[in-house]
Every structure is written in structure tokens, then in C-alpha cells.
Amino acid sequence: GWLLSLMVIGPVYIIVINSFKTRGQIFSDQLGWPEIFSFEFYSAAAKQMSYLNSLKNSLLIVGISVIFIVLIASMAAWALARRNTGGSRLLFYMFLATMLIPFQAVMIPLIQYFNSWRIGSGDFAFRMIDSRYGLIFMNIGFGMSLSIFLYHGFVKSVPLEMEESARIDGCNQWMTFWQVVFPNLLPITVTVAILNVINYWNDYLLPSLVLRKPALRTIPLSTFFFFGEFNIQWNLALAGLVMTIIPVIIFYLLAQRYIISGVMAGAVKG
């Protein structure tokens, strides 16, 4: 247990401690405490990476992506689990099969295909590349399979009698799902949200292919520019990394009690 904790906490300690040091101190002593705890490197890093703008882009892209993933995946999983026909099972297995396809195998044709999606010109042109909504659309697509898999298993734990009682009371399918089924999916909903937030918050590859304008960069894209070809600004880069992980840690701490129960229920019952 101690060894595992050390393996997890050790890298975090090194990143945080060295983010307060000068480059000379970092190269001379990576594990020791800094001479002075000053936030000057955090201020410089935030300025160079346009932290507030990057934070806004990340919050907007990740937030909207996760909301749509939760809404669409929960409804799709409920429909697939309750119908239990040959077609629904086939569709569910198709979703599972897409989880086996690595993103790297489809990224080049994907970007080439969406490059041709352009209507109009100027700032108000509709385009999937170099736009926040284009990246949001792709995030939703790539996050759907795992989310449906988790929801599908958890839906089976919701008693069918509750839905039948709701229909007897006059609820249609839409009301039955949102008033009866969805409130019972809270643990797995939080789990799906956390997994997708962590995945897309830290994602570098897909945003680097889609977002080209500096004003659209997410936090991982902005942090990358501290790592030059011939020179690495380690103190600024580490300060930027600390500022990158703080929001997702806060989100994780607020919702951590749902993670284990949600993942186990979704995986075992699936």
C-alpha cells in the first residue's frame, strides 16, 4: 500500500515542488524544497499560455461534450436495454466493437473528411475544423461507446416495475425516462461524467488536429508550447501543468464517492 501510494504521490510532489524553483535549482536538486515559495513562475506561465482563455475553451468544450454524452448515451442505453430484440442487441454489440478501434487508426481520414465541411467564409463560416463545435461533435462521437456500455449495465438495476407503474399513472416514454429512470442512474451518470471529463480535459492529440487558431487552444495545447525543440522552460511548464490538473482534481474530489459503485455496477451487470 505504501509503495503504491508513493508511486502515485511521488510524481505529483516532484511537479509541484519544482514549479516553484528556478531552472538552476531544478537541475541541481529535483527533490529538495525551493529556496523561496514564490508564485512568479505561475504568473509568468499563466500569461504566456493565456491561461484564462485556455481555461474558458477547455471548460466550454469539455462541459458541453460531457453534457451531450450523458444525455444521449443514457437514453440510448435505456432504449437498447429495455427493447431486448435482436436488432437492439446487434446495435449494442456494434457500439462495443467500436471501443476496440484506436483513435490513431481513424484520425487521418477523419480530419481529411471534415476538412471539406465548410459553408460560407469569414468568421461566421460553418466548419468542423478550427471550431469549438467541431471538436465537441467529435468528442461526443468518441465518448459514446464506453458511456453506452456503462449505462446499459446500470439500467438493468432499475426495477422494471417502476416504469410500468409510471405508465399506469399516465406517463409517456419521455416522462418515464426523465422522472423515473434517469434519477436512479445518478451514480453511473457521475461516473460517466468523471471518466469523460478526465479523458477530454487531458486530451492533446485530437484538439491539436482540430484547433489551429491560438485563440481556440485548450489548456493541454497551451501547455505544450513550453516544450520547445531546443529549449524547455521547465519551471514554467511545471507551473502550467499544476494549473492544468487543479480543476479536474477539484471536480474529481466533489464526485469521487460515486466512482467505484458506478463502475462496478456498470461492468458487472453489463
Side-chain angles (χ1 to χ4, degrees), residues 3 25 27 34-35 43 51 53 61 94 118-119 124 131 138 152-153 181 199 203 220 227 238 241 255 270:
L3 181 59
Q25 290 176 317
F27 287 116
E35 296 177 358
S43 177
Y51 180 74
N53 183 67
I61 292 170
M94 289 176 62
R118 185 181 181 90
I119 302 174
F124 298 100
S131 66
M138 297 180 200
H152 189 273
V181 179
N199 183 33
D203 188 21
F227 299 89
L238 293 175
L241 290 174

Side-chain angles (χ1 to χ4, degrees), residues 190-203:
V190 177
T191 301
V192 168
I194 290 173
L195 293 176
N196 282 287
V197 164
I198 293 175
N199 183 33
Y200 293 126
W201 188 270
N202 298 321
D203 188 21

Side-chain angles (χ1 to χ4, degrees), residues 12 28 51 104 112 155 182 239 243:
V12 178
S28 62
Y51 180 74
Q104 292 79 1
Q112 289 178 339
V155 163
F182 191 74
M243 292 188 291

